[in-house]
Amino acid sequence: MPNDDESRGSSITGDKSVLVTGDLEPWQDRRLPAKERVRDLLGRMTVAEKVAQLYGVWAGVPRDGDDVAPFQHELIEDVDWPELIRFGLGQLTRPFGTAPVDAAVGAMALARIQGEIVAANRFGIPAVAHEECLSGFMTWGATVYPAPLAWGASFDPELVERMAAHIGEAMRGLGVHQGMAPVLDVTRDPRWGRTEETMGEDPYLVATVGTGYVRGLQSAGIIATLKHFAGHAGSRAGRNMAPVGIGRRELADIHLPPFLLAVREGGARSVMHSYSEVDGMPPAADHDLLTGLLRETWGFDGTVVGDYFGVTFLEALHHIAGSKADAAGLALAAGLDVELPTVHCFGEPLQAAIRAGTIPVSLIDTAAERVLRQKCELGLLDPDWRPVPPALDAVAGADGDVGRKVEGTIELDPPAARAVARELAEESVVLLVNDGTLPLHPDRRIALVGPQADTVSAMLGCYTFPSHVGIQHPEVPLGVDIPTLLEALADELPSTPIDHAVGCDMLSDDTSGIPVAVSVAERADVCVVALGDRSGLFGRGTSGEGCDAEDLRLPGAQEMLLEAVLDTGTPVVLVLLSGRPYALGPFADRLAAVVQAFFPGEEGGPAVAGVLSGRVNPSGRLPIGVPRDGRTQPAMYLSPPLAQRHDSSSVDPTPLFPFGHGLAYTSFEWTDVQADGRTPEPGERLVTGTDGSLTVSVLVRNTGERAGTEVVQLYLHDPVAQVTRPVVRLIGYARVRLEPGESRRVGFGVHADLSAFTGRRGAPVVEAGDLELRLSSSSVRVRHTVGLRLVGEERVVDHRRRLTADVVVE
């Protein structure tokens, strides 16, 4: 056992004599490969020191207030801090995202904590600090970007990558190492409250946009964490953490591809398991998933971390473990490395099981090796590592006691970050229908009514600091400037009279304010009705984690408000600020225009106002279809023929607005389709092998009078296959900005691998036969079709197959 009094220190720099005197040990030598360094270090560590690297601690979590994680208050226990860290510590949970704290003050507090951890363990190993970062660094005062569903609506992975780089730079600058994003779940039922956290209903879109996020975050030196692996969004009836009753084919073809692309091409360094059971097996205990597939097949060599309390849930909720020690053994054997958010099963229960011989030390060695290798890659094993962020070095005293003189010295919402937030918000706004009422004429009197018209919450998803944590601290200022839609529209149209009324509340059926809203609408030339969601956690909102919907009708009294305003005869522009799509069928033929924005962040008000005024030409496309009737079962576009409308059922699942749909204030012409550089003959099927490829392209021209962006989408239709297939599925897309009269050629390099699917024997195959490539402006609006015939032997492919189309815009 190590000498607990050895090399104790008190400075926040955490200096250890072993680190700064004498010759370096091999594990400290940066010239050696990480694997060699870690092997040397493991050989020097006791079992207790290795186990200490396998859990986090959630320090400072409030004992009162509302939960921000499932069963938080039942499971959080007080810890003896000196005893907890005496052998080291794997992770620190949310040092900035638990309570409001000034960035610089929080950074110095984190440095002091890290100094204590370094001083307490004989090797001077600091902890990995992790934070939520789904809609930006989730801390007080940081830029609030659009929710992930808005990223999907942008169809712009490059912009999402830039956003993630800004997020990562802010986190790294304060001493954070790991970000708990992106969410790569593919929406299968929009009643699920976490739909807002996803990038939509298509795995290709989720994969490409999500991989852009991974690249951006990790370019700043922050570990990206893919979640929730896997199948989490397939829960029955859209209920949070409910069982997932899908087969292996849906898991392989729908839920896994985003994770595969993010691991293989994004280089993601961490994965978080899902809470839900998949066909009876919780992923936290699934060796076939976490080790067989993720590590042995895909070659992933990063860390697998537990979703908050997920290891405990193996005993407490799933009942596949009889004790905390059993839960720890199952998770470690499956391939999970770190228990989060705090130590439960991986503490004394695990230590006791090791002493009893019921859990082999080899499992500890395997997990500790992965954790320490990641710390090595982060520089946390280097002898000159210091916990104080470089930006604060100048004000940190020798003993680290800087008091509060650093307060306000770090800006987490700089102009460059706000500019990216504005750009992404503008690109994500979707114009669903327009009879010419939009853009709004500045000389017309406008009524702006609805519960989303003048509230900051209309812009915010559940994983933003104001919604997630700030709402429990009403005495603390918001921390960032977030204009409401009313404020933004008044700035956008300064000479236009705008009358405002709330009308109703989305969290109740109170209709007492509707008559006032009707009166305001009657006096106006056009009425903008702002409706949608209030994001929250575990039933404290209409969207967000644990805020699932019974159906897809607008919550509260919002439909009654919309109906009443439509009855006035004043042209109505509906603006939806929400975390999921809502059914609009009962109102669609009476609405002058519909604008959809998915929690567009701090610049969402100006972005939506810009679309309403015409300053912004909308270019967003639906990442998920909008239903016609909110009471019908969810119907995703990525489904086989019998999931579509047919005469054997009285229920029509056809969406009102399909995946990929979106309008602009200009028009586009698609002509001169070519395949491999020539124009196909009418009815011709181009021939290539089952291991071949070809290029299809189309000339897109802006035929309107203003600049705009078209989103060219490429879908695959497989008319006959050995198993049932979706009618169409997305295999490529490109955003193309064009000036009036400008033309550009958009080309897609399509490899036969993109036709792969899970065949009858359970392996992905590329089979010979006829296919159609559909150049489309949505999943149902086909502009041009190119016939294709694959010839040759059926190929069994694997994770190394081509996953994306090459895109060239000339």
Side-chain angles (χ1 to χ4, degrees), residues 265-533:
E265 299 188 14
R269 301 301 297 139
S270 192
V271 170
M272 175 184 281
H273 72 79
S274 160
Y275 283 133
S276 300
E277 63 171 80
V278 180
D279 194 24
M281 176 57 73
D286 192 345
H287 179 274
D288 289 344
L289 181 71
L290 299 185
T291 297
L293 178 68
L294 180 62
R295 297 190 186 281
E296 295 174 355
T297 300
W298 291 1
F300 175 73
D301 64 353
T303 56
V304 174
V305 300
D307 204 345
Y308 284 13
F309 309 112
V311 179
T312 299
F313 291 162
L314 296 178
E315 176 200 15
L317 297 184
H318 294 298
H319 302 293
I320 66 168
S323 66
K324 290 181 175 62
D326 289 346
L330 285 172
L332 286 165
L336 191 147
D337 302 312
V338 182
E339 181 183 23
L340 295 177
T342 199
V343 58
H344 248 249
C345 301
F346 280 21
E348 178 53 31
L350 175 57
Q351 295 272 19
I354 294 170
R355 291 191 296 269
T358 56
I359 293 180
V361 175
S362 60
L363 291 180
I364 308 303
D365 288 341
T366 298
E369 189 277 333
R370 292 192 284 245
V371 169
L372 290 169
R373 179 155 36 87
Q374 199 151 82
K375 288 191 174 185
C376 185
E377 294 167 352
L378 289 166
L380 301 184
L381 302 187
D382 294 348
D384 58 353
W385 179 85
R386 297 179 71 251
V388 180
L392 295 181
D393 275 344
V395 295
D399 62 355
D401 185 14
V402 297
R404 298 186 63 83
K405 62 187 177 184
V406 298
E407 186 170 3
T409 60
I410 295 178
E411 172 61 68
L412 292 182
D413 188 28
R418 289 197 73 101
V420 172
R422 170 75 72 95
E423 186 177 357
L424 183 54
E426 290 179 349
E427 286 193 5
S428 70
V429 178
V430 187
L431 179 62
L432 298 180
V433 67
N434 184 25
D435 68 358
T437 299
L438 294 181
L440 296 173
H441 197 284
D443 294 334
R444 304 181 73 186
R445 188 176 195 89
I446 298 172
L448 177 57
V449 306
Q452 299 289 66
D454 194 28
T455 177
V456 165
S457 64
M459 310 299 162
L460 305 175
C462 74
Y463 272 82
T464 61
F465 190 85
S467 292
H468 202 91
V469 178
I471 195 170
Q472 300 190 52
H473 300 270
E475 75 285 358
V476 177
L478 199 58
V480 289
D481 180 31
I482 306 178
T484 68
L485 180 57
L486 177 61
E487 292 166 343
L489 194 59
D491 287 343
E492 196 77 37
L493 301 171
S495 62
T496 301
I498 301 175
D499 300 318
H500 167 245
V502 174
C504 72
D505 180 66
M506 68 183 67
L507 300 179
S508 75
D509 294 327
D510 182 6
T511 61
S512 59
I514 291 180
V516 176
V518 167
S519 176
V520 169
E522 287 174 334
R523 298 195 302 269
D525 297 308
V526 61
C527 181
V528 177
V529 183
L531 308 177
D533 277 317

Side-chain angles (χ1 to χ4, degrees), residues 75-363:
L75 295 174
I76 285 290
E77 299 172 348
D78 293 328
V79 298
D80 182 338
W81 177 249
E83 179 64 23
L84 180 73
I85 64 172
R86 62 193 291 251
F87 298 119
L89 182 64
Q91 294 219 6
L92 284 165
T93 294
R94 290 169 57 166
F96 293 92
T98 298
V101 61
D102 173 82
V105 172
M108 295 309 299
L110 175 58
R112 278 189 286 271
I113 292 170
Q114 289 280 35
E116 293 173 4
I117 295 168
V118 166
N121 73 90
R122 63 185 179 127
F123 297 102
I125 303 172
V128 166
H130 78 254
E131 289 288 348
E132 299 288 355
C133 55
L134 193 61
S135 294
F137 182 8
M138 203 185 77
T139 189
W140 186 81
T143 305
V144 179
Y145 295 93
L149 199 55
W151 312 351
S154 76
F155 278 69
D156 195 341
E158 290 77 18
L159 179 55
V160 170
E161 181 174 343
R162 284 168 46 208
M163 174 199 71
H166 278 280
I167 294 171
E169 289 164 5
M171 296 170 72
R172 188 67 172 172
L174 297 189
V176 178
H177 309 101
Q178 182 166 358
M180 296 306 182
V183 170
L184 297 184
D185 300 318
V186 179
T187 297
R188 301 298 284 166
D189 186 336
R191 293 177 298 178
W192 190 43
R194 304 192 79 167
T195 294
E196 64 173 69
E197 298 179 47
T198 78
M199 287 161 255
E201 64 173 299
D202 182 86
Y204 189 94
L205 180 65
V206 173
T208 49
V209 174
T211 297
Y213 181 97
V214 171
R215 289 193 182 109
L217 195 72
Q218 295 196 161
S219 73
I222 295 293
I223 294 170
T225 308
L226 313 181
K227 58 187 193 181
H228 307 87
F229 193 63
H232 195 40
S235 57
R236 291 175 185 156
R239 294 181 60 241
N240 192 44
M241 296 174 61
V244 175
I246 61 175
R248 61 180 180 176
R249 186 166 287 107
E250 182 174 342
L251 181 67
D253 292 349
I254 302 293
H255 298 276
L256 291 178
F259 292 92
L260 174 56
L261 190 72
V263 165
R264 202 185 76 182
E265 299 188 14
R269 301 301 297 139
S270 192
V271 170
M272 175 184 281
H273 72 79
S274 160
Y275 283 133
S276 300
E277 63 171 80
V278 180
D279 194 24
M281 176 57 73
D286 192 345
H287 179 274
D288 289 344
L289 181 71
L290 299 185
T291 297
L293 178 68
L294 180 62
R295 297 190 186 281
E296 295 174 355
T297 300
W298 291 1
F300 175 73
D301 64 353
T303 56
V304 174
V305 300
D307 204 345
Y308 284 13
F309 309 112
V311 179
T312 299
F313 291 162
L314 296 178
E315 176 200 15
L317 297 184
H318 294 298
H319 302 293
I320 66 168
S323 66
K324 290 181 175 62
D326 289 346
L330 285 172
L332 286 165
L336 191 147
D337 302 312
V338 182
E339 181 183 23
L340 295 177
T342 199
V343 58
H344 248 249
C345 301
F346 280 21
E348 178 53 31
L350 175 57
Q351 295 272 19
I354 294 170
R355 291 191 296 269
T358 56
I359 293 180
V361 175
S362 60
L363 291 180

Side-chain angles (χ1 to χ4, degrees), residues 27 37-46 50 364-366 368-370 372:
W27 66 269
R37 295 174 65 184
V38 170
R39 186 187 305 119
D40 176 72
L41 178 57
L42 280 173
R44 302 165 184 264
M45 298 175 77
T46 65
K50 295 172 187 176
I364 308 303
D365 288 341
T366 298
E369 189 277 333
R370 292 192 284 245
L372 290 169

Side-chain angles (χ1 to χ4, degrees), residues 604-627:
V608 173
V611 168
L612 295 176
S613 72
R615 175 181 57 80
V616 175
N617 194 345
S619 61
R621 300 294 183 267
L622 284 175
I624 184 169
V626 172

